[in-house]
Amino acid sequence: MEQRRTRRFKLELPLAITRAGAERVAVPGLTKNISSCGVLFTTGQEPDLGGPIEYIITLTNDGPQSVNLRCVGKVMRAERTHTKGDEELKAYQIAATLERYEFVRDREAPAGR
């Protein structure tokens, strides 16, 4: 049986990758689970394995201002997944560490989210 150091919480929340390596990007995604050490999410673009990553998780859209968590970490694992529908959608399941984080107001979050 697999044992984890920290508890994981199954949460499907909007996520946006804002930096992959040294490159600024705007790639949407969706979390699958979150722990105090990292996050597992899906996205349409494969990031560099082992490279730095910055991402923003939208915790809530309730009220006049959304609550966002800006996170910095490292890509630990990337796996290609396939979703069947009217057309096949190729996506990636990404496991990333959560090394630093800060709460940000909606106006501080990148445009396009």
Side-chain angles (χ1 to χ4, degrees):
M1 178 179 212
E2 184 178 354
Q3 292 187 354
R4 304 249 178 219
R5 291 179 296 165
T6 60
R7 185 172 176 196
R8 290 181 178 207
F9 298 93
K10 281 186 138 186
L11 295 170
E12 288 191 356
L13 299 169
L15 175 141
I17 301 172
T18 58
R19 186 177 298 272
E23 181 181 342
R24 276 248 180 272
V25 296
V27 180
L30 187 66
T31 66
K32 295 186 75 147
N33 66 54
I34 299 173
S35 76
S36 61
C37 295
V39 63
L40 181 67
F41 63 93
T42 57
T43 186
Q45 182 177 329
E46 182 180 23
D48 293 332
L49 190 61
I53 188 170
E54 181 179 318
Y55 51 96
I56 294 180
I57 300 171
T58 300
L59 300 176
T60 180
N61 280 324
D62 296 342
Q65 217 174 34
S66 61
V67 177
N68 299 297
L69 193 63
R70 179 182 294 148
C71 307
V72 176
K74 182 168 63 170
V75 177
M76 301 303 291
R77 186 177 74 241
E79 299 173 356
R80 180 172 272 193
T81 62
H82 296 278
T83 304
K84 299 275 183 180
D86 292 337
E87 59 185 69
E88 189 174 325
L89 173 67
K90 292 180 182 164
Y92 293 90
Q93 184 167 279
I94 309 298
T97 62
L98 195 155
E99 296 170 8
R100 289 191 332 261
Y101 69 91
E102 66 179 337
F103 287 93
V104 293
R105 296 173 197 238
D106 201 28
R107 66 179 178 270
E108 296 174 34
R113 288 192 340 89

